[in-house]
Amino acid sequence: MPSQLLQLNPAEFIFASFADRDISDQLPRMFELDGAGLPGVAEVRQVWANLQLRWDVPGRGHAGATFVTGPFAVDTSAFDRFVAAMEVTSDITFTLETEVDGTWHALTDGVRGDDGRMELDLPLPAGGQTLTAVRLRLTKHTSGQALVKLVWFAVADSVRRDLLLEPKWTPDPAWPGLLVSAEDVGVPERFGRGLLFDADQLPALRVKADQPGWRPHMDMLRRRARVALERAPEADVGDFVPWTDYRYLRDRERGRRSLWWDALDLGFVGLIDEDPAMLRHAGRFLMSLLHCRHWCQSAESRVLGSVWDSRCFLEEMSASTAAILLDWLDPLLTDRAKRLAHVALWDKGLAVIERDMMKYAYVYRINQGPWFCRARVLAGLMLEDAWPRVGSYVERAMDDLLEGLNHYVLPDGGLDEGVGYFMMTMHTALPAVLAYAKARGRNARDLLPPQLAKSDRYLRIMSAVRPGRFLPEADNSTDRVLSDGVGVLAGLYPEASAYRDILAECLGHEDPESYFSQYMQQGMYSLIHGPDEVPPPRTIVPGFAELPGLGQLTSYREHDDRSTRVHLVGCRANPSHHTHRDKGNLLLELDGVPVLIDRGVPRYDDARKAAFEPAAVHNLLTPWTPGRGFLDQAHPKATMPFTGQSEGDALHAEIDLTPAWAEGFAACSRSVVSLDPDRLEVTDAGRMATPGHAVFHLHARAPFVIDEDARSATLTVEGVTLRIAVPWAERLEQREHLTDFALRPVYHLEAWSPALTADDTFRLTTNLLRL
């Protein structure tokens, strides 16, 4: 029976979609380790955007695996190319083979992964008729977990595809009939609606932008706007908006810069500096955005016959940008342009956002729900003045936004997605609340959940000693606050001094390498909604604090000219998928220097990202068992808090980690005792569930120097030295292992216990001494 082909475009057709669960679950497949009796486990796991192939390499040698999918019945008579989209790490090589007319053909030989998405465009066997199966032979060349992500396999007609890829029409930058000459209009004296501020508030904003605390931040916006002025946005008009997350992009769509942030920089700076040329250029960006056929990133979100989607992130950013520019540039737009914008806001933006808000219940419990509602509020406010039947649409959007925030922020003000996600959520959701409050004559604080006023406590506990930095625990691709969330919160909650105290260090920073920076750009919201004055920054980490709902505990002690900060990671019940298997993790800063670290994560389109999540890449004790390697934690169903007390210079803390170990440990606990700031005693106790070893892992950005005879290691980072005494260890090993979020090398120390049998108990005490 012929296989169904899913149209990517008129020249390329998917026959095996691994991203769409409804299709992927029906695909015949086999995945197994190579070699009879080879230790290890081969696992196939369906996730949101791909099919993941995982296996463990417990030894030091190579280990291979084979994946086969089929049988199919793909008629290849109209096609000459085989195309595969997949993610492979650089320590894996692979060979791709197809079975055509009953004969296997090798299309590649020993290709090495590149730590990201790969698109292989290969010739189909000449003269073949029916493709019936695909085989992927994989070899991992290092120990540890192997991970390959399959997205789709397709066939293509290269002649037709070349015609489709011929240069397309580029719009006239004058946008006749749509844009009025900026020289004829000057700087707008009125806005379309006044979403974020009114035109008569511009003089006060100009004064604020020139204040000493804000001037460097405004100068950053001006620099970015001047760069944007050199860009021709019409070159990026196409079927899909430009995007920089390569997980869902074809190779040929890479390298295009997004339209949103340049457009907003031009519009805002043009208004503040009364610059008609910048405002006109912002109008060109708006027209270019409106003329992109879809507001998603590629044809993978519009495959005919598939229901897979990447959620409405890009539709939200496009709709929010278009709504703000439609407001600011009202006098520069013809009536036709405004009507065009109204239709685009709904058809390309809000309609898709509404789908996701109705279809997915989980978005109301993580960052996505409040974030997606920004566009619903801003664009809805623009449409309610233009269309007669919008009715209560904005009220419903605001209800959903507030419901999401109520779920997202715990009663104690904390959350488990990490500070990066928290700040990104505040950056997106709070301007929508402020715009709604302005439009309805309400007080924004009266609308927001009361626990948000306590969130400064969460920020203090999760902040690093260096002001403006935070602990990259969970899915964080940076350790610096890069969003406008701090500025907006400092304006909303002036009594919450944590925001005010780090604001100066959070302004004026550009970080195009952070994964978060493609979703938000620090700038205008801080200046619009932030406090008038920006005080000098200072450390905000508390001397001792716990977040019981989140399970986190932190301690900061100063002694003479030295400081010691210990942070201990617990867990809320049923944590978010943005958290890691890091329950019990210990982080250590000495004199503000991160010594024992959390890696955070690299960009999500880095194929190694999942390797940053397991317990063994955190400062934890984990079980190791023959044939399986390091076993991993499970997300617990109940809150697992670190509890403790601080008396003078002494710290005592403990946690029961048993609920996090579904296998390997039958029981496990950790206690941390520090009688003075220079000494730390970590005791891991428990009982084995399987034979193997208990292994203590430590991670740092500098190599450890091992003294095998003394069962100790010494670590020096930025002039700070720590001695690690492990008298119970059978052996100590270290290796350079992966990186941190910024792709800096990370060194991994392993302290191995003697062999243990099932039901053996252990009590392992490790001493950390600052030298």
Side-chain angles (χ1 to χ4, degrees):
M1 180 178 179
S3 296
Q4 180 189 5
L5 298 181
L6 310 175
Q7 182 178 313
L8 268 168
N9 58 57
E12 296 175 307
F13 294 83
I14 294 173
F15 66 86
S17 174
F18 301 110
D20 189 324
R21 181 184 295 272
D22 290 340
I23 297 172
S24 181
D25 285 347
Q26 303 303 312
L27 296 176
R29 62 197 184 214
M30 179 276 295
F31 183 50
E32 61 185 13
L33 297 177
D34 294 343
L38 185 71
V41 175
E43 177 188 14
V44 179
R45 182 183 300 177
Q46 183 70 46
V47 296
W48 169 25
N50 49 63
L51 186 73
Q52 295 186 357
L53 312 179
R54 297 173 181 251
W55 72 102
D56 290 317
V57 185
R60 295 298 184 201
H62 300 187
T66 299
F67 174 80
V68 180
T69 183
F72 303 105
V74 180
D75 182 355
T76 63
S77 58
F79 306 104
D80 63 340
R81 308 293 292 184
F82 174 89
V83 188
M86 52 199 289
E87 293 184 34
V88 185
T89 56
S90 58
D91 59 353
I92 292 175
T93 56
F94 63 90
T95 297
L96 192 58
E97 303 169 329
T98 56
E99 185 183 47
V100 178
D101 296 339
T103 301
W104 283 100
H105 301 265
L107 303 185
T108 67
D109 183 20
V111 176
R112 184 171 290 275
D114 66 358
D115 291 326
R117 171 164 163 153
M118 306 176 71
E119 186 172 309
L120 294 96
D121 191 334
L122 306 164
L124 282 167
Q129 182 72 27
T130 304
L131 186 155
T132 50
V134 179
R135 182 162 61 202
L136 193 61
R137 299 188 185 274
L138 302 150
T139 301
K140 188 172 190 292
H141 300 277
T142 58
S143 62
Q145 187 181 79
L147 175 65
V148 171
K149 302 176 183 179
L150 304 179
V151 185
W152 47 259
F153 296 153
V155 288
D157 176 355
S158 62
V159 174
R160 183 178 295 180
R161 185 173 60 189
D162 288 345
L163 293 173
L164 289 174
L165 297 179
E166 286 184 351
K168 295 182 173 61
W169 160 80
T170 300
D172 182 345
W175 293 101
L178 297 171
L179 288 183
V180 177
S181 168
E183 289 74 16
D184 293 340
V185 175
V187 177
E189 296 181 358
R190 60 174 176 81
F191 294 162
R193 176 69 192 254
L195 291 178
L196 306 178
F197 55 89
D198 295 317
D200 60 10
Q201 294 175 284
L202 275 171
L205 273 176
R206 292 178 183 128
V207 171
K208 182 178 180 180
D210 198 41
Q211 296 302 308
W214 287 104
R215 192 178 303 127
H217 189 70
M218 189 65 210
D219 287 344
M220 175 191 72
L221 299 181
R222 291 185 175 109
R223 287 194 303 273
R224 294 198 315 227
R226 286 194 295 269
V227 172
L229 200 56
E230 301 301 316
R231 181 180 171 191
E234 293 81 12
D236 281 313
V237 173
D239 287 339
F240 307 97
V241 293
W243 187 221
T244 51
D245 186 328
Y246 293 159
R247 286 178 296 167
Y248 320 119
L249 286 188
R250 306 297 303 276
D251 277 0
R252 57 181 176 259
E253 294 167 336
R254 296 188 178 195
R256 300 166 68 213
R257 288 168 51 196
S258 60
L259 294 166
W260 315 299
W261 315 134
D262 284 352
L264 292 174
D265 282 342
L266 285 163
F268 186 70
V269 175
L271 291 172
I272 296 295
D273 289 352
E274 302 181 87
D275 189 325
M278 284 193 176
L279 292 169
R280 168 74 187 194
H281 215 68
R284 289 175 58 187
F285 271 88
L286 173 60
M287 290 302 110
S288 298
L289 179 60
L290 296 180
H291 282 78
C292 289
R293 186 178 299 275
H294 303 285
W295 283 353
C296 58
Q297 74 283 337
S298 77
E300 292 185 19
S301 289
R302 295 291 184 270
V303 174
L304 298 182
S306 171
V307 299
W308 180 83
D309 68 84
S310 57
R311 307 300 183 266
C312 55
F313 297 99
L314 275 64
E315 287 87 352
E316 191 285 323
M317 291 183 284
S318 297
S320 289
T321 298
I324 291 169
L325 292 176
L326 181 61
D327 179 32
W328 287 347
L329 304 179
D330 183 84
L332 276 71
L333 306 176
T334 66
D335 289 343
R336 176 187 157 209
K338 295 172 190 176
R339 288 192 289 271
L340 181 70
H342 296 151
V343 172
L345 284 174
W346 184 265
D347 288 5
K348 302 175 188 180
L350 297 183
V352 180
I353 300 170
E354 290 301 298
R355 175 203 69 193
D356 287 355
M357 295 301 297
M358 295 178 186
K359 184 178 179 183
Y360 301 111
Y362 82 90
V363 303
Y364 291 84
R365 296 188 174 273
I366 65 171
N367 64 87
Q368 294 177 11
W371 175 356
F372 295 162
C373 287
R374 175 180 60 174
R376 298 173 71 201
V377 172
L378 297 180
L381 288 171
M382 295 305 298
L383 286 178
E384 71 179 9
D385 275 357
W387 289 359
R389 301 284 293 184
V390 172
S392 60
Y393 175 81
V394 175
E395 313 305 320
R396 182 162 60 86
M398 182 54 55
D399 287 345
D400 288 347
L401 189 158
L402 297 176
E403 179 186 348
L405 284 181
N406 266 299
H407 291 312
Y408 189 58
V409 183
L410 299 176
D412 60 10
L415 64 137
D416 66 352
E417 290 192 318
V419 176
Y421 269 104
F422 172 63
M423 285 303 167
M424 184 160 59
T425 305
M426 298 301 103
H427 175 100
T428 50
L430 293 181
V433 176
L434 287 158
Y436 174 86
K438 178 178 177 297
R440 299 294 190 256
R442 301 282 300 278
N443 184 313
R445 285 189 54 159
D446 293 342
L447 297 169
L448 290 166
Q451 63 265 37
L452 192 57
K454 304 176 186 177
S455 62
D456 67 317
R457 175 178 172 82
Y458 167 72
L459 183 64
R460 288 181 184 279
I461 290 174
M462 299 304 297
S463 283
V465 172
R466 294 172 176 172
R469 305 279 179 153
F470 59 84
L471 304 175
E473 192 263 340
D475 270 8
N476 281 297
S477 67
T478 179
D479 64 351
R480 181 185 287 279
V481 179
L482 296 172
S483 82
D484 284 329
V486 168
V488 178
L489 286 164
L492 270 170
Y493 300 101
E495 74 282 6
S497 60
Y499 301 116
R500 185 183 65 250
D501 288 343
I502 65 169
L503 179 57
E505 273 297 318
C506 299
L507 297 177
H509 291 294
E510 300 180 74
D511 184 8
E513 299 306 317
S514 167
Y515 177 75
F516 292 140
S517 65
Q518 60 192 337
Y519 288 103
M520 60 183 177
Q521 184 164 267
Q522 185 193 62
M524 63 178 189
Y525 294 136
S526 287
L527 187 55
I528 295 167
H529 300 300
D532 290 335
E533 295 185 359
V534 181
R538 68 182 188 91
T539 297
I540 62 173
V541 179
F544 177 83
E546 299 170 275
L547 278 172
L550 192 56
Q552 307 271 1
L553 181 151
T554 211
S555 164
Y556 177 62
R557 291 167 291 170
E558 294 179 332
H559 181 66
D560 296 332
D561 59 346
R562 304 191 303 278
S563 70
T564 300
R565 193 282 179 78
V566 178
H567 185 82
L568 304 171
V569 178
C571 184
R572 68 171 292 184
N574 301 307
S576 160
H577 63 269
H578 288 301
T579 62
H580 294 178
R581 317 287 176 156
D582 62 349
K583 314 320 169 195
N585 195 18
L586 179 153
L587 307 178
L588 180 65
E589 294 177 277
L590 299 176
D591 297 347
V593 175
V595 176
L596 299 178
I597 66 166
D598 191 304
R599 302 162 182 264
V601 291
R603 289 172 54 97
Y604 281 21
D605 52 12
D606 189 315
R608 298 167 293 180
K609 187 262 181 186
F612 286 65
E613 300 170 13
V617 294
H618 296 86
N619 303 317
L620 290 172
L621 188 82
T622 75
W624 182 96
T625 190
R628 295 285 305 279
F630 295 118
L631 302 183
D632 206 2
Q633 291 183 347
H635 284 326
K637 303 297 183 184
T639 300
M640 288 173 44
F642 247 113
T643 59
Q645 58 184 337
S646 177
E647 297 177 1
D649 280 340
L651 167 69
H652 299 262
E654 60 185 8
I655 187 172
D656 178 9
L657 294 168
T658 305
W661 290 106
E663 56 180 351
F665 290 145
C668 186
S669 65
R670 167 166 278 188
S671 69
V672 177
V673 177
S674 177
L675 299 181
D676 67 68
D678 290 337
R679 300 172 186 272
L680 201 66
E681 181 183 274
V682 181
T683 300
D684 293 297
R687 179 165 53 89
M688 299 293 290
T690 56
H693 297 264
V695 184
F696 189 9
H697 307 265
L698 292 171
H699 307 269
R701 294 197 189 102
F704 299 84
V705 178
I706 294 175
D707 184 338
E708 195 69 49
D709 292 335
R711 293 293 187 268
S712 69
T714 303
L715 172 66
T716 300
V717 185
E718 296 183 32
V720 177
T721 301
L722 181 72
R723 184 174 182 269
I724 304 154
V726 198
W728 53 266
E730 179 183 68
R731 69 182 189 272
L732 297 174
E733 298 180 359
Q734 81 148 331
R735 58 197 164 111
E736 185 179 326
H737 180 206
L738 296 170
T739 68
D740 68 357
F741 61 85
L743 305 185
R744 294 171 293 199
V746 170
Y747 297 85
H748 182 170
L749 178 71
E750 297 173 1
W752 289 67
S753 77
L756 300 167
T757 63
D759 292 326
D760 274 358
T761 60
F762 58 84
R763 184 175 181 83
L764 312 174
T765 297
T766 302
N767 290 287
L768 309 179
L769 173 65
R770 176 187 176 135
L771 299 181

